Amino acid sequence: AVDLRELLAVSVLAATRGGEEVKRVREGNVLNAKAKGKTREGAEEQLTTGDLLSNRRMFYLLKGAFPAVQINSEERVDTAEQETVPWDRSIPEDIKQKIQPKEVPAESVTVWIDPLDATQEYTEDLRQYVTTMVCVAVNGKPVIGVIHKPFSSYTAWAMVDGGANIKARSSYNEKTPRIIVSRSHAGKVEQVARQTFGNKTVIIPAGGAGYKVLALLDVPEKNQEEADVYIHVTYIKKWDICAGNAVLRALGGHMTTLTGEEISYTGSDGIEGGLIASINMNHKALIEKLPDLEKTSHK
């Protein structure tokens, strides 16, 4: 059995430790960026020393603490570079106060780690978009989410039916929402969104899935933009979205495909149907307003 409170504590530590590597590499300007392939839209996918060192630190910390749990990571772990990253099993006070111990079978747990979200922006030194993330899914459902911003040391965490250290914002605009989208998709989404919600709809281009989810929430940071809805219109990997999905679920929000299907965090690494995320809004009504975006996502 695995205690989810302990797994949350080590997930927060892993995201923070990974973030230290990400920050150190960026500030030392030794990124050694190289292309690791192309996205489905044909854009170069970057890989840096920050991705690799963060991945190693996060993976081995989680694996050392919970060896029986399956861990899926964006980057491949080189077994030749295996290291022992000990965990002292201490649980931070804020987690102790809000979360009760809860055991689940180890085989029901899948951990998704994103050692550096927004690598493209990282190489461009757009630091505000960069996050490190850990998500815990139980039987495919996201139940623990941790999103850490390495350059400001801000960490958001939440556990479904447990507690959180972050809240939803108090006001949202359903009629003319501010829609946060990937920088590369802004033009594609803008046209359809304005047709759907009206010409006053604001499109916010941004980097990183973690940053975009935080935009829907009450984050006490000056350089965090605010949005009402997060939309992604193409294929996306599960380690990019699992942590954000868990945080939204814990706070009563929603993240689904563009057609409203729940996303399962077992099996394949990605989802085809794009996604829409919201909180304190009528999610079903939003999906019904967006009939064209699903078609757009496959073009």
Side-chain angles (χ1 to χ4, degrees), residues 10-24 54 58 114-118 127-135 145-158 165-166 208-211 213-214 219 221 224 240 243-244 247:
V10 81
S11 297
V12 169
L13 186 60
T16 309
R17 290 275 178 83
E20 287 166 6
E21 298 293 332
V22 166
K23 187 179 178 191
R24 186 172 62 79
S54 172
M58 292 173 75
D114 192 342
L116 200 170
D117 189 39
R127 302 180 182 199
Q128 72 270 28
Y129 297 129
V130 175
T131 61
T132 57
M133 295 188 282
V134 181
C135 176
V146 179
I147 305 174
H148 174 69
K149 295 175 90 170
F151 296 101
S152 66
S153 300
Y154 173 76
T155 308
W157 59 259
N165 73 341
I166 186 169
Y211 178 88
V213 167
L214 290 178
V219 175
E221 292 212 314
Q224 174 67 59
D240 289 320
V247 172

Side-chain angles (χ1 to χ4, degrees), residues 25-227:
V25 169
R26 179 65 266 183
E27 289 179 345
N29 207 21
V30 284
L31 274 67
N32 298 319
K34 59 183 182 193
K36 68 173 181 179
K38 282 189 162 46
T39 65
R40 293 202 181 179
E41 296 97 72
E44 290 280 0
E45 273 200 288
Q46 297 286 316
L47 178 68
T48 70
T49 303
D51 294 85
L52 295 172
L53 292 179
S54 172
N55 185 61
R56 197 163 83 193
R57 179 62 57 93
M58 292 173 75
F59 179 88
Y60 284 117
L61 176 57
L62 284 154
K63 199 70 189 164
F66 293 97
V69 164
Q70 182 183 334
I71 300 172
N72 296 338
S73 173
E74 176 165 15
E75 307 307 339
R76 203 168 59 83
V77 177
D78 189 342
T79 47
E81 296 179 332
Q82 185 166 345
E83 60 178 283
T84 304
V85 185
W87 177 48
D88 64 6
R89 308 203 82 78
S90 66
I91 296 174
E93 266 324 297
D94 59 340
I95 293 177
K96 260 190 199 163
Q97 284 168 12
K98 291 180 176 167
I99 309 288
Q100 295 300 311
K102 183 180 180 182
E103 290 197 338
V104 295
E107 63 272 16
S108 70
V109 175
T110 310
V111 176
W112 296 83
I113 60 177
D114 192 342
L116 200 170
D117 189 39
T119 300
Q120 180 61 43
E121 287 74 17
Y122 183 67
T123 63
E124 295 170 33
D125 210 12
L126 298 170
R127 302 180 182 199
Q128 72 270 28
Y129 297 129
V130 175
T131 61
T132 57
M133 295 188 282
V134 181
C135 176
V136 177
V138 178
N139 297 319
K141 288 192 166 74
V143 297
I144 288 172
V146 179
I147 305 174
H148 174 69
K149 295 175 90 170
F151 296 101
S152 66
S153 300
Y154 173 76
T155 308
W157 59 259
M159 180 167 145
V160 174
D161 298 329
N165 73 341
I166 186 169
K167 293 178 179 157
R169 285 204 325 278
S170 54
S171 62
Y172 294 83
N173 189 336
E174 200 142 352
K175 292 200 172 99
T176 54
R178 290 164 297 178
I179 298 178
I180 196 161
V181 299
S182 291
R183 291 158 75 211
S184 55
H185 299 163
K188 188 188 270 193
V189 177
E190 184 167 8
Q191 197 179 354
V192 178
R194 294 232 159 99
Q195 284 168 0
T196 307
F197 295 110
N199 288 328
K200 290 185 178 170
T201 303
V202 176
I203 303 295
I204 303 168
Y211 178 88
K212 294 184 194 101
V213 167
L214 290 178
L216 307 181
L217 304 170
D218 185 11
V219 175
E221 292 212 314
K222 286 193 293 243
N223 67 358
Q224 174 67 59
E225 293 160 289
E226 292 184 354

